[in-house]
Amino acid sequence: MRKTNHSLLHLLLTLTLLLGSTKPDPDPLQDYCIADTAEPSYMNGAPCINPNFAAPSHFTTSVLSEPGNTKATPLGFSVKLTNITNLPGLNTMGMTMARVDLDAHGLVPLHSHPRASEVTICLQGTLLVGFVNTSNYLFTQRLRPGDSFVFPKGLIHFLYNEETMGPAVAMSGLNSQNPGAQLSAVAAFTSKPSIPDEVLKKSFQITGQDVMRIRKNLGG
Ligand SMILES: *[C@@H]1O[C@H](CO)[C@@H](O)[C@H](O)[C@H]1NC(C)=O
Ligand SMILES: *[C@@H]1O[C@H](CO)[C@@H](O)[C@H](O)[C@H]1NC(C)=O
């Protein structure tokens, strides 16, 4: 009897933890909480300005109207994000928008967002997108303008422009005001301080020379 109770408690605890980890950002307690970004914030989000000072401009941004610089990386991509600095009305709303620009054959490399799912719509170009689930199965699609695709929270994904000549553009929505992004290759090979070579050699079944070459290629 005691044993059963124990297992039940364990199951309930596990369920609570699992449900907890899939929750989006917490709900706001106000209509809005225009981010006060004047001071650094050490709380979970940013404090609000006095709501009497809220203005329409706090709810608008042109940050996604222009492409970013796709030449800043050899992969030929750029991602521009709304955040509480360029769109302070977004604070506590639990969302972010992103503009993704890709050169011909440009790639947003394997990455994941620890705090958000993402839905993307292809506006221009031909996008090969995909994510890998936790059973290591790849879900992949080819998107043409108007097509959308969902990348579930935390799963590794990519976007690749298959056009040989033209650029591609996509807009994404993410369900956190701070989705975070972790690039798989960059995290593994260029972290500071470095992950020990022995760990990388074993993890990827490669030699020390391979480790050095990949580090160098990734600018680490
Ligand atoms: C918001 O993004 C801009 C670049 O568009 C960056 O300079 C700024 O530091 C970001 N703010 C936050 C709070 O991440
Ligand atoms: C991943 O996808 C494969 C193929 O649909 C499926 O068999 C597997 O159960 C999925 N894993 C999870 C954890 O959803």
Side-chain angles (χ1 to χ4, degrees):
M1 191 61 209
R2 235 187 130 75
K3 184 115 205 247
T4 326
N5 275 341
H6 208 83
S7 318
L8 200 66
L9 190 70
H10 196 90
L11 183 72
L12 277 175
L13 261 174
T14 313
L15 271 176
T16 316
L17 281 176
L18 278 176
L19 286 175
S21 71
T22 60
K23 269 196 307 210
D25 290 0
D27 281 332
L29 304 177
Q30 308 97 328
D31 278 6
Y32 41 79
C33 168
I34 312 296
D36 181 354
T37 48
E39 299 290 332
S41 167
Y42 304 102
M43 59 194 282
N44 194 15
C48 327
I49 66 167
N50 181 333
N52 295 338
F53 301 142
S57 62
H58 288 131
F59 299 95
T60 189
T61 181
S62 301
V63 77
L64 305 184
S65 63
E66 300 288 335
N69 176 17
T70 55
K71 309 295 178 209
T73 100
L75 306 186
F77 81 100
S78 94
V79 178
K80 279 186 148 185
L81 294 164
T82 61
N83 63 25
I84 57 170
T85 310
N86 54 37
L87 188 57
L90 205 69
N91 193 36
T92 77
M93 297 295 147
M95 51 195 184
T96 295
M97 280 184 76
R99 174 185 175 132
V100 183
D101 285 274
L102 293 139
D103 292 341
H105 284 175
L107 171 72
V108 183
L110 297 172
H111 68 284
S112 64
H113 305 291
R115 289 176 290 276
S117 298
E118 172 175 0
V119 60
T120 197
I121 181 164
C122 173
L123 300 180
Q124 187 188 339
T126 308
L127 280 180
L128 183 72
V129 297
F131 70 86
V132 178
N133 77 4
T134 54
S135 307
N136 222 17
Y137 185 87
L138 172 69
F139 289 81
T140 184
Q141 277 295 304
R142 183 164 290 120
L143 308 182
R144 301 226 155 72
D147 296 340
S148 298
F149 192 79
V150 175
F151 303 110
K153 178 171 174 170
L155 298 184
I156 290 181
H157 59 279
F158 64 87
L159 298 92
Y160 176 65
N161 179 14
E162 290 191 314
E163 302 280 343
T164 40
M165 306 294 280
V169 183
M171 289 282 182
S172 288
L174 298 110
N175 66 338
S176 169
Q177 79 176 40
N178 189 16
Q182 198 159 34
L183 276 69
S184 313
V186 166
F189 288 94
T190 73
S191 67
K192 298 277 177 314
S194 309
I195 295 175
D197 284 17
E198 286 312 313
V199 174
L200 291 176
K201 278 158 64 181
K202 274 238 160 66
S203 298
F204 292 92
Q205 296 290 299
I206 55 178
T207 66
Q209 274 188 337
D210 294 332
V211 171
M212 271 166 53
R213 187 163 46 85
I214 298 171
R215 271 218 181 96
K216 193 160 154 270
N217 290 347
L218 295 176

